[in-house]
Amino acid sequence: MLIDTYGRVATDLRVSLTDRCNLRCTYCMPEEGLQWLAKPDLLTDDEIVRLIDIAVTSLGIDEVRFTGGEPLLRPGLVGIVERVAALARRPRMSLTTNGIGLRRTASALKAAGLDRVNVSLDTLRPDVFKTLTRRDRHKDVLEGLAAAREAGLTPVKVNSVLMPGLNDDEAPDLLSWAVEHDYELRFIEQMPLDAQHGWKREGMVTAGDILTSLRTRFELTAEGSEERGSAPAERWLVDGGPHRVGVIASVTRPFCSACDRTRLTADGQVRTCLFATEETDLRAALRSDAPDEEIARIWRLAMWGKKAGAGLDDPTFVQPDRPMSAIGG
């Protein structure tokens, strides 16, 4: 079991498979990209599967989310999914992706054992997409979403970040489109995880702003805390259901007290929180031939030291050195 001093138990593991990405989203990284991790620093496929096996066998993990960077850029992705699906204790598996490579991989991922996907799409307008991502790939994302739905990687969830002056007027249009295509839309407040440290709390599009905008066109009925559980998204029924919309208010309505996550970076570091400034090295233990029991002990110790909250409302908050592309969402 992965328990911390506040009694929270981690059952959800986020695994970053790479720090690389084929987009350059303005809220994540600079246009020129970043200095990527050297290949020897990355966990191998075998190391990733071994750590996941330890997590589900010895530490109580029952859900695994593959992230990046962009996880579809990982050459061994389908094989990793297949091997995790074959573990004695099979966890639920999902993938967070920008969707660009999903059209050609959705069927293979489903056959390998992936359960569902989250796809990032912030706008329905190709010109705004190009401005936000610095790439002209809007059509590829839409095709990837359709392929995921057709392959049965459902429910297909769409993650959207609204940026002032760019797409902050699109919330109702995005929800109407998601309902039409049977996607579950989730809006995410912009978080201070950009490499250039340009995030400013003032001026950000808040959960309250998003809900006000949605209610100009839709009737929203809150699901309530029992339905939510430890999920980060507050959800609302749209016009009485069955469709839902979620809002992840990491900044204005933090949900740290119910957090059930542990994170593994692409280079084998445990992070207890997206906003943590400290990491615990599992790669060194792996490569020094430590037994599974010792790796599990190191992981438990890391989680025991998890802080009460992200501290975003603290005026002394220090943004993590790693951007979101290197941590995994």
Side-chain angles (χ1 to χ4, degrees):
M1 181 181 294
L2 288 172
I3 189 169
D4 64 31
T5 54
Y6 298 93
R8 296 169 297 192
V9 177
T11 57
D12 184 337
L13 170 61
R14 304 298 168 99
V15 181
S16 175
L17 298 179
T18 178
D19 60 330
R20 296 174 185 261
C21 189
N22 43 12
L23 296 180
R24 297 291 181 269
C25 296
T26 56
Y27 51 78
C28 185
M29 70 171 73
E31 186 170 4
E32 64 274 15
L34 300 166
Q35 183 174 350
W36 308 121
L37 292 167
K39 188 172 181 179
D41 293 335
L42 294 170
L43 293 176
T44 66
D45 293 0
D46 288 345
E47 289 170 337
I48 289 169
V49 173
R50 183 183 173 197
L51 286 175
I52 294 173
D53 190 10
I54 292 170
V56 300
T57 302
S58 303
L59 299 174
I61 293 297
D62 57 28
E63 184 164 353
V64 174
R65 172 85 61 86
F66 297 108
T67 70
E70 173 45 53
L72 295 182
L73 296 179
R74 176 87 184 200
L77 171 61
V78 173
I80 290 171
V81 171
E82 189 171 36
R83 291 171 66 184
V84 173
L87 294 176
R89 285 191 68 245
R90 182 201 188 282
R92 296 187 300 275
M93 286 185 289
S94 57
L95 176 86
T96 294
T97 172
N98 61 30
I100 287 176
L102 201 49
R103 181 173 60 86
R104 65 177 182 274
T105 55
S107 294
L109 287 167
K110 179 64 178 178
L114 192 71
D115 295 306
R116 63 171 192 83
V117 294
N118 285 37
V119 179
S120 298
L121 180 65
D122 302 322
T123 178
L124 298 176
R125 304 192 292 247
D127 59 323
V128 176
F129 181 91
K130 188 174 181 179
T131 299
L132 276 168
T133 67
R134 306 184 178 105
R135 297 291 186 271
D136 190 11
R137 307 296 298 273
H138 190 258
K139 180 173 179 287
D140 295 318
V141 180
L142 295 181
E143 289 178 349
L145 277 160
R149 184 186 59 214
E150 290 164 11
L153 292 170
T154 54
V156 176
K157 296 184 180 181
V158 177
N159 296 339
S160 296
V161 176
L162 299 183
M163 302 288 288
L166 283 174
N167 62 339
D168 53 342
D169 61 335
E170 285 198 68
D173 289 340
L174 281 163
L175 181 52
S176 179
W177 165 83
V179 168
E180 178 186 352
H181 291 87
D182 200 25
Y183 303 139
E184 184 174 323
L185 181 63
R186 306 192 312 172
F187 292 100
I188 304 175
E189 288 182 336
Q190 184 197 2
M191 295 179 282
L193 290 168
D194 55 312
Q196 55 271 46
H197 290 200
W199 178 84
K200 296 287 188 296
R201 187 184 183 105
E202 59 274 13
M204 64 171 283
V205 181
T206 67
D209 297 331
I210 293 165
L211 291 169
T212 296
S213 179
L214 291 176
R215 286 182 171 123
T216 63
R217 197 182 303 179
F218 302 95
E219 179 183 343
L220 302 181
T221 306
E223 273 197 334
S225 57
E226 287 188 8
E227 287 285 342
R228 181 182 184 183
S230 60
E234 296 178 75
R235 297 199 306 179
W236 286 261
L237 291 173
V238 179
D239 291 338
H243 295 286
R244 294 170 171 82
V245 63
V247 179
I248 300 177
S250 303
V251 177
T252 62
R253 304 180 189 178
F255 40 86
C256 300
S257 63
C259 181
D260 65 348
R261 298 179 183 180
T262 182
R263 299 175 183 275
L264 185 64
T265 67
D267 56 349
Q269 310 300 305
V270 170
R271 293 182 68 93
T272 58
C273 173
L274 262 179
F275 303 101
T277 55
E278 301 165 346
E279 297 177 334
T280 300
D281 188 5
L282 294 185
R283 185 187 63 196
L286 281 171
R287 295 181 181 178
S288 63
D289 296 324
D292 289 359
E293 294 78 8
E294 174 62 11
I295 292 170
R297 185 193 68 80
I298 295 170
W299 206 331
R300 287 191 191 97
L301 188 61
M303 291 304 295
W304 185 250
K306 183 173 182 174
K307 294 182 179 179
L312 295 178
D313 55 352
D314 186 336
T316 64
F317 169 75
V318 177
Q319 181 170 331
D321 291 333
R322 293 208 199 202
M324 185 159 50
S325 61
I327 299 170

